[in-house]
Amino acid sequence: HTHVDLVIITEIVVSWFTSPLLAALVAFLLMMGVKTYLKAKPVPLLYQDAYTRLGLILAGAFSAYSLGANNIANVMGPVMSVVPLKPLPIGHLFVFSSDQQLFLLGAIAIAVGIYTYSHDVIKTVGNNMLKMSPIEAWVVVMAHALVLFLFSSTSLHLFLTRHGLPAV
């Protein structure tokens, strides 16, 4: 039991160091790719603005998905074993398991938090911490989303361990 705890703690500490380094590497590679693309094929300013806005919306959606996938465990993980809910049938269509009910409650809690408190946080991060161009903002959001997605991907974890590689 103690060995398992030590392994889990080690994985957590390693992730604290590797995730910012991986995000920096991903951001660097994305920025170099964007700069290389824009030098090779200049895009008119109005099109670049439209593409950047669309890219920011899509990156924001991907970031929200990745953040939700990562944080739902933080929100509901401690509750799952102590709140046994009975399966909830929805007509004759399907049945919500106990875990699905708790995940839904966690998702609602996260959504309420986003709706009620995130506006000021987003304004502070977007305007007061560091001035960035829209393209730099896209790179930061994509790097963040990709790293979170990698760290919360069960499929990637299983693939790496199945091939004898260290799991993320």
Side-chain angles (χ1 to χ4, degrees):
H1 183 55
T2 307
H3 175 69
V4 172
D5 292 341
L6 184 59
V7 168
I8 291 171
I9 291 170
T10 303
E11 287 177 357
I12 291 170
V13 171
V14 167
S15 73
W16 289 343
F17 293 102
T18 57
S19 61
L21 294 173
L22 184 58
L25 176 65
V26 169
F28 175 78
L29 293 173
L30 282 173
M31 195 65 190
M32 291 300 104
V34 168
K35 283 184 176 183
T36 302
Y37 178 79
L38 290 175
K39 280 185 182 179
K41 186 176 180 178
V43 179
L45 190 57
L46 289 176
Y47 286 107
Q48 183 177 333
D49 182 61
Y51 295 148
T52 303
R53 287 173 187 264
L54 177 62
L56 281 167
I57 291 169
L58 295 174
F62 180 47
S63 177
Y65 172 78
S66 297
L67 195 57
N70 186 58
N71 284 339
I72 195 68
N74 300 335
V75 173
M76 298 315 297
V79 179
M80 296 206 46
S81 63
V82 295
V83 181
L85 297 174
K86 293 180 180 172
L88 178 66
I90 305 296
H92 295 293
L93 298 174
F94 54 88
V95 176
F96 271 122
S97 71
S98 173
D99 292 351
Q100 290 170 328
Q101 292 175 57
L102 288 171
F103 283 136
L104 179 61
L105 289 172
I108 291 169
I110 290 172
V112 168
I114 290 168
Y115 183 75
T116 56
Y117 294 106
S118 70
H119 188 266
D120 290 339
V121 173
I122 290 171
K123 280 185 93 169
T124 299
V125 171
N127 296 327
N128 300 336
M129 291 183 72
L130 181 64
K131 297 292 181 193
M132 289 184 261
S133 73
I135 292 174
E136 291 167 338
W138 178 83
V139 165
V140 168
V141 173
M142 280 303 294
H144 157 263
L146 285 167
V147 170
L148 271 177
F149 183 77
L150 289 174
F151 273 81
S152 60
S153 173
T154 304
S155 299
L156 178 63
H157 176 84
L158 293 174
F159 173 81
L160 292 173
T161 54
R162 190 172 35 245
H163 290 87
L165 298 168
V168 182

